[in-house]
Amino acid sequence: MTESIAAANAATDKPARQWGRTQQTRRVILDAARDVFIEEGYADANIAHIVERSGLSVGSVYHHFNGKADLFLALWDEFETVYTEAATTAVADARHSGVSDPIELFIAGTRAYLEVARGASRLTLLFRGGDGPPGYDTLGRRVGAEWMKNNTTLLGLEDTPVSRLKVRILISTVVEGERAIASVESPSEIDTLIDEAISIVRSIASL
């Protein structure tokens, strides 16, 4: 009986172990691709360099990803997800603490977004630099449209040309703040840039 239970447990654990190894392998590949893309840019990056950096075989890399574009877009998706989750969580926390003013909620999300940018300068330069696979700019526009929709709702604005202009300017200010943060290394300079971006956002949002 004991042996049967042990065998059953081993069989149950096997898929979990395989999934864990698969995720670990994907992470190694993605980390290698990230480093190569940062060093060489998308256009000049070579899949052979990614394979070499990962320490895995060509077959293993292609088993998990279809190629250079697939790797780049997987990293970009992670990049965008971190920002989105940080801003969304900050807005939810602000609401939970009693904040109801739409502008203050937007600012809470903005500050969280810019704090993420503090530690993502190299990826910001990579993904905001315009160098990517075919169709990458279309994905960027799609994300931008989603930001427009969500922030128009967050700010309690009607969908009018003037409101769209205002939200577009606000989003552009946040993105330019992100780029500015990526261009400096001093923590004090980053603090200043975040505070200045928040001040500009508050001024525009209050118009």
Side-chain angles (χ1 to χ4, degrees), residues 45-142:
N46 189 309
I47 195 71
H49 295 168
I50 296 172
V51 171
E52 181 181 2
R53 183 71 63 93
S54 73
L56 300 170
S57 67
V58 174
S60 180
V61 172
Y62 276 103
H63 174 74
H64 293 281
F65 298 96
N66 293 328
K68 186 170 76 167
D70 195 23
L71 283 161
F72 185 91
L73 293 177
L75 288 165
W76 174 78
D77 185 62
E78 287 186 346
F79 176 79
E80 292 294 341
T81 297
V82 170
Y83 276 102
T84 299
E85 289 181 351
T88 300
T89 299
V91 171
D93 288 346
R95 279 201 176 108
H96 184 70
S97 67
V99 176
S100 59
D101 181 78
I103 293 176
E104 294 305 319
L105 290 173
F106 182 84
I107 287 172
T110 296
R111 185 173 289 280
Y113 184 100
L114 294 176
E115 285 294 342
V116 171
R118 180 191 294 275
S121 59
R122 295 192 305 166
L123 288 174
T124 294
L125 295 174
L126 172 66
F127 292 121
R128 303 295 188 231
D131 182 18
Y136 175 55
D137 54 343
T138 301
L139 289 174
R141 287 195 296 271
R142 192 175 301 163

Side-chain angles (χ1 to χ4, degrees), residues 19 21 34-35 40 60 99 105 109 132 146 163 165 191 201:
W19 183 86
R21 285 196 295 271
R34 177 201 61 213
D35 292 344
E40 302 178 11
S60 180
V99 176
L105 290 173
E146 190 67 20
S163 293
L165 174 61
D191 289 340
V201 165

Side-chain angles (χ1 to χ4, degrees), residues 118 180-181 183-195:
R118 180 191 294 275
I181 288 168
S183 70
V184 300
E185 296 182 359
S186 166
S188 61
E189 284 186 290
I190 292 174
D191 289 340
T192 299
L193 287 170
I194 290 176
D195 289 342

